[in-house]
Amino acid sequence: METRGGGSQSYGFPIYCAAWLPLAHILKPDPPAAEADADADAASPSSPPPPMAVLGGGGGEGRSGVPNKLVVAALAAGEEAAPAALSPETVIEVNTREEVPYRMAVHPRGDGVFCAFPNGCRLYRWESQEGEGPQNLALEPDQEALAELTDVGLQLAVSFSGEGSILAIGGVDGHLRVFKWPAMASVLTETDTKTSIKDLTISSDDKFVAVNRSSGPCRVWDLQSSEVVASLPREAGEIFGFCRFCNKTDNSHILFITAMQGDYGKIVSWNTTSWTRIGSKKITREAISAFAVSPNGALLAIGTIEGSIIIVGSKDMRTLVTVKKAHLGIVTTLAFSQDSRTLLSTSFDSSARVTSVGSPKSNGTSIWPMLLVIIVAILVYYCMQHKEDILAMLPR
């Protein structure tokens, strides 16, 4: 087990949701300006902008004096030997008035930020003001988009597919809605008023959506036929929580589901061909409040109600990083960066923390086997060079 450093930053409001931004799709330089400055750029290339994250939350509808808002902050490199952290200076701030952003999904191709509020949903689009660079970005509400979702109530789970062509949302009222994006044509709807939807996930090939409800099994839908293809049962005492599809190197998928069983929080894995349970590992004795899978599929992360963060390898479930009391309150969101090397976590305690997980290729790999191979090779070489001397020393 390894404990690694991280940098925490407070923003003065409880943070319910967060996500990294796909800057490559948001920051689009103006072509004429790019052509005019081509020679200058060739002589003095500009460095890419730092990674940025959007955070949402606030004090709710009460008169707490804590505003409800969305903020965008950039990753600020720390001093030498100091951990990186988000900058205290925000790039964008959007006041959402009486409505607190409770859940969000950032479109992977830059179409905007989908926010779920207590009474409905709203889309915020990126606007480029005069000039280039992150400092000239703005986030504006699209009053015409998502008209059909303005009064659907609180959504507990919202997600875009990997390419952004599918949007799925699940409400506290038990209503599941899946749409084609951006046309918002209905792909699938289901209502179960006896349960609320806790979490959902879309496979990277846009073929399946898995849904966890407040009770019962995890149900998997085929988005082509709009039919249930699997109902994944719980073992005795298990209560399912979060679910995430994960890509394997052969382009197949594994479905990971978090579960509480007695005093233990565990991660269960499922084969997505036969829909059979293939693994289960107890990870923590704290209740799991957040879950994330890295884009490269190598890492899984959980956050707990005690404020702890645990990162494990997806293949062997070996714990790689543990940060006890990373936050003073419940961990509300976990999100890996696009390169899978940084984990963003947020909390009700108003903090956003950045935890380094190192190079994905090195996770779960020990140096001792390599050293052993080198030592054995040296011994074999020595024996071959001194074969006669060694034989002479042996008893006859």
Side-chain angles (χ1 to χ4, degrees), residues 38-330:
D39 295 337
D41 290 343
S44 178
S46 58
S47 59
M52 298 168 64
V54 56
L55 317 171
E61 297 180 0
R63 299 180 180 179
S64 63
V66 179
N68 300 313
K69 57 185 177 179
L70 296 170
V71 304
V72 174
L75 189 66
E79 299 178 358
E80 187 175 356
L86 292 179
S87 171
E89 302 297 328
T90 57
V91 179
I92 300 172
E93 288 199 16
V94 179
N95 191 308
T96 59
R97 304 182 184 277
E98 294 81 14
E99 296 182 303
V100 57
Y102 193 66
R103 293 285 188 268
M104 75 164 59
V106 173
H107 192 272
R109 299 297 175 184
D111 283 4
V113 179
F114 180 97
C115 285
F117 296 96
N119 297 319
C121 305
R122 190 178 308 141
L123 181 68
Y124 289 80
R125 293 193 183 275
W126 302 105
E127 300 288 344
S128 296
Q129 300 176 348
E130 184 177 354
E132 297 181 12
Q135 69 276 8
N136 296 299
L137 279 177
L139 200 55
E140 301 291 343
D142 188 331
Q143 303 295 348
E144 298 180 0
L146 309 182
E148 62 271 49
L149 301 180
T150 54
D151 298 313
V152 295
L154 178 61
Q155 303 300 300
L156 298 179
V158 298
S159 180
F160 284 107
S161 60
E163 294 298 318
S165 60
I166 299 290
L167 168 68
I169 63 174
V172 69
D173 61 356
H175 200 144
L176 170 67
R177 298 174 175 89
V178 182
F179 304 95
K180 290 184 178 180
W181 183 270
M184 294 300 289
S186 178
V187 175
L188 170 66
T189 60
E190 184 206 24
T191 302
D192 181 354
T193 57
K194 296 180 180 180
T195 62
S196 60
I197 293 178
K198 299 172 75 172
D199 197 26
L200 55 80
T201 179
I202 306 169
S203 61
S204 62
D205 56 6
D206 295 355
K207 187 175 181 179
F208 301 114
V209 59
V211 181
N212 275 345
R213 293 181 175 271
S214 54
S215 64
C218 175
R219 303 183 76 186
V220 183
W221 300 76
D222 186 315
L223 293 178
Q224 298 296 321
S225 64
S226 298
E227 295 181 352
V228 176
V229 294
S231 185
L232 310 181
R234 301 172 297 170
E235 290 186 349
E238 283 184 342
I239 301 175
F240 285 169
F242 299 94
C243 55
R244 292 289 183 273
F245 281 107
C246 176
N247 290 339
K248 297 174 64 178
T249 54
D250 60 358
N251 294 323
S252 62
H253 297 84
I254 292 178
L255 177 62
F256 290 105
I257 298 177
T258 67
M260 293 302 300
Q261 188 175 37
D263 295 333
Y264 287 94
K266 59 196 292 188
I267 299 176
V268 184
S269 54
W270 300 80
N271 181 295
T272 58
T273 302
S274 60
W275 299 110
T276 54
R277 182 185 291 233
I278 57 177
S280 177
K281 178 67 178 294
K282 294 178 180 178
I283 305 296
T284 179
R285 299 197 69 167
E286 300 175 6
I288 298 173
S289 59
F291 183 53
V293 176
S294 64
N296 68 357
L299 305 172
L300 311 177
I302 63 171
T304 75
I305 62 172
E306 301 295 331
S308 300
I309 297 169
I310 303 172
I311 302 173
V312 303
S314 63
K315 290 184 177 180
D316 56 11
M317 295 292 174
R318 186 172 68 89
T319 299
L320 304 173
V321 179
T322 298
V323 185
K324 287 287 188 181
K325 302 295 183 182
H327 298 272
L328 298 178
I330 180 175

